Amino acid sequence: MAITEAPKIITGRIGHADSHTLERYLATGGYDGLRKALAMTPEAVVHEVDTASLLGRGGAGFPAGRKWAMLRKSPVTYLVVNGDESEPATFKDHLLVERDPHQLIEGVVIAAYATQVSQVFIYLRGEFALGLERVQAALNDAYSLGAVGSDIFGSGFSVDVVVHPGAGAYICGEETALLESLEGKRGFPRIKPPFFPAAIGLYGEPTVVNNVETMSNLPWIVLNGGSAFAALGEGRSTGTRLFALAGHVNNPGVFEIEMVKTTFRDLIHAPVLGGGIPHGRELKAFVPGGVSAPWFGPDQIDLPLGQDEVAGAGSMLGSGSVVVMDDHTCAVRASWRITKFFARESCGQCTPCREGSGWLEKIMERIETGNGREEDLDLLLDACDNIAPGLTWPPQQTTICVLGPSIPSSIGSAIQMFRDEFLVHIKEGGCPYG
Amino acid sequence: MSSTAHPTPVARPRSKGGPTPTLTHLRGATATRARELIALYPEPRSALIPLCHLAQEQEGWLSPEIMVDIAALLDLTPAEVLGTASFYDMLHTEPVGSHLVSVCTNIACLLNGAMELLEHAESTLGVNAGGTTADGAVTLEEAECLAGCDGAPCVQVNHRYVGAQTAESFDQLIADLRSGARAAEIPTHGTLNRVARTTGLQADRNQVANERSAMAETQAQRAAAAKDTAANKAGA
Ligand SMILES: Cc1cc2nc3c(=O)[nH]c(=O)nc-3n(C[C@H](O)[C@H](O)[C@H](O)COP(=O)(O)O)c2cc1C
Ligand code: SF4
Ligand code: FES
């Protein structure tokens, strides 16, 4: 495995200090993809995206072209862009909205044309103050240019795009919670199936929900063709993908990497990528795909960065984040903090998630602070089992959304991989790492 | 979610006041902006969160009085506004300091000394996370991941990233906030008045809907014609 010479599909422009401006965008081929798309039929655009095998970059990895095809025919339909990015250790959309907002807008209008929707909402995380300003400013420029609004570039196609700020709630990244939030309500996920947003979405109308990174790939795909995209990567995991690398690495950041051709080892250790682990320490474990995902140990470091490859090994590529923990890391403390996050962010609709996360946090906290009891390990696993029976991966669904069943991932991994550390905490009332 | 007690909103029946209710607290340009925002959505209620942000831009927090105005604009009850706002961490139903300092302690930051930084912040500011300094300059909060994990431990002030902080740089940051030295780079809360939308909606919803129906009809006719052709062929 190696770092390939794949083109920078979505980060090509961000080396420029003014990458967020319309001037830079137009000077680097901006809105050419949209012009080309508008000269095609909507079906032909969908066909290119299908050919590209563009998997959604928000977490679930559903093929974008297939999702669009499922959109129920109706006079009023919506496209909602998910820029809520709150999965811990995920910060790739942050880069895209701040540094290349026009690319996002161009992708969004292409998707709107392909799916023939009448209005788009870009839901951005409220904490992205600069990102909100950048996308709004870019949108104002795009309207003046005629790339958004009525009769786009004289094509007869019209669509409005509205930037909508969130207000700080992780659960609003879940697509149905996001729709509730966009309707001005609490972010309570809706029960699905039977009705996915493509059938009953925003205001009860058919709605496509796609991630910011998914959208940002579209200008390139239209310009270069779906098969050029599909030629990169392997199997279902085509093209490039952004990976947000953080934790104990010398060079944390967002890297655009060809799917499958590169491994976790490359990402973490290559000098041009993560640059290895600081202070000459060793790898203890890493969390792929966001904190909802089960952890991997050093023996899984040669896994390729591909959706099915990682799923086959018992975890997920999820949101495209990778957190590295060195051998001085306390597994109890790390999994306690992740559990605390879920307890804080559970929306409270489902008993296993609401009560379970609270219980787990309490037990984890007392172990972490040296007040654990002998029976706590069994109690933890029992509580985990009540939230996600059998602790299988992917987990069994016991709740309205998958936040609940993801809670046990970190505790389950930590106990399975580092049981000794839990025992030391409990028996000696303290942490072996101080 | 915020666990603090909420002030009781001023009781008021659901507004039936038509399109231009009288506002008592949202002022001038902010009130105009509020109406522009509402016009962007198919249902007024969708503007609830944006309006709460706007109100905070004016007042610094969501006072019970300002929630009455928001309710009136959206034809909701103040309780519906409060009940929604209280779900969201960024909407403050109690006063906050002029600088909201958010220290992330989630996983990537935890691994890079975030808990130690938060403890340092609590002791130098003399408040616990969630508290506001006596001079009203700083509200300190322990945040979940702020999507700035490559600059860990990640700190935001009024939701502007200020980069990874050490104990020393944090003290300097606070001193600068108090002296106003970084006011240009770290403006007060909110973005909606700073970078406003310059156009209203252009694609008239009804017109677009009609166009789409017409297109769907043509498609259906085409499909039916293709079926007929296929059937004829099969019959031939
Ligand atoms: C708890 C939870 C949080 C999520 N957070 C996000 C998020 O922040 N951003 C995102 O794009 N998708 C998030 N998702 C996934 C969305 O539900 C949805 O699958 C995605 O936005 C679809 O876009 P895509 O097909 O382009 O990936 C989350 C899902 C769950 C269950
Ligand atoms: S699983 Fe948790 S977050 Fe999801 S709907 Fe149920 S209570 Fe809410
Ligand atoms: S974990 Fe702290 S900003 Fe992401």
Side-chain angles (χ1 to χ4, degrees), chain A residues 188-434:
Chain A
F188 285 153
R190 300 174 180 171
I191 294 178
K192 60 172 188 177
F195 298 117
F196 290 87
I200 299 182
L202 187 63
Y203 314 119
E205 303 289 353
T207 304
V208 168
V209 183
N210 270 135
N211 169 261
V212 162
E213 184 185 345
T214 314
M215 292 287 103
S216 299
N217 275 292
L218 297 174
W220 194 95
I221 291 176
V222 169
L223 268 182
N224 297 275
S227 38
F229 192 85
L232 300 165
E234 227 174 87
R236 282 203 316 144
S237 301
T238 57
T240 60
R241 195 175 166 172
L242 296 187
F243 288 92
L245 179 67
H248 293 141
V249 280
N250 281 311
N251 185 27
V254 176
F255 303 101
E256 181 173 353
I257 288 174
E258 184 174 358
M259 298 267 273
V260 192
K261 301 288 171 62
T262 315
T263 63
F264 285 103
R265 183 189 296 281
D266 299 326
L267 180 62
I268 295 168
H269 288 288
V272 293
L273 301 175
I277 297 170
H279 315 300
R281 292 183 181 169
E282 297 294 320
L283 177 67
K284 174 175 186 140
F286 58 102
V287 193
V291 299
S292 307
W295 302 1
F296 280 150
D299 50 333
Q300 276 143 321
I301 196 173
D302 289 310
L303 270 173
L305 293 162
Q307 183 160 308
D308 296 331
E309 290 76 2
V310 173
S315 189
M316 64 169 178
L317 218 44
S319 62
S321 93
V322 177
V323 182
V324 178
M325 295 186 256
D326 72 19
D327 56 0
H328 286 51
T329 309
C330 170
V332 176
R333 192 168 165 85
S335 51
W336 157 71
R337 184 60 186 85
I338 294 171
T339 308
K340 180 173 157 183
F341 163 76
F342 283 120
R344 198 169 158 184
E345 297 297 332
S346 164
C347 86
Q349 286 190 102
C350 320
T351 312
C353 174
R354 180 189 62 241
E355 302 301 319
S357 61
W359 271 83
L360 290 175
E361 187 200 353
K362 261 195 209 112
I363 304 166
M364 286 301 297
E365 182 164 348
R366 73 177 177 234
I367 298 177
E368 160 64 13
T369 52
N371 300 307
R373 306 168 193 161
E374 290 281 336
E375 65 275 17
D376 275 351
L377 268 188
D378 288 338
L379 194 57
L380 277 176
L381 289 172
D382 187 46
C384 286
D385 191 70
N386 275 314
I387 305 175
L391 289 182
T392 53
W393 189 263
Q396 274 198 54
Q397 193 68 21
T398 54
T399 50
I400 294 174
C401 87
V402 297
L403 184 147
S406 312
I407 299 171
S409 290
S410 62
I411 296 179
S413 298
I415 294 182
Q416 194 194 359
M417 297 164 78
F418 308 107
R419 196 183 184 94
D420 294 355
E421 284 178 31
F422 281 81
L423 294 176
V424 172
H425 275 80
I426 292 170
K427 292 199 176 124
E428 293 167 27
C431 179
Y433 299 98

Side-chain angles (χ1 to χ4, degrees), chain B residues 188-206:
Chain B
T188 51
H189 189 70
T191 65
L192 289 166
N193 274 314
R194 286 169 46 83
V195 182
R197 185 183 172 103
T198 51
T199 38
L201 296 185
Q202 294 184 1
D204 179 75
R205 232 182 300 272
N206 294 326

Side-chain angles (χ1 to χ4, degrees), chain A residues 30-46 48 105-117 142 145-160 218-219 221-223, chain B residues 211-212 215:
Chain A
Y31 291 108
D32 288 352
L34 175 59
R35 287 177 195 276
K36 184 173 172 190
L38 292 170
M40 299 159 64
T41 63
E43 295 76 26
V45 178
V46 176
E48 288 304 325
I105 293 167
E106 182 177 2
V108 159
V109 180
I110 292 172
Y113 177 70
T115 51
Q116 293 288 301
V117 309
L145 182 73
V148 186
S150 75
D151 191 18
I152 294 170
F153 293 147
S155 66
F157 176 72
S158 307
V159 69
D160 275 304
L218 297 174
I221 291 176
V222 169
L223 268 182
Chain B
E211 280 170 24
R212 302 285 193 274
M215 197 180 313

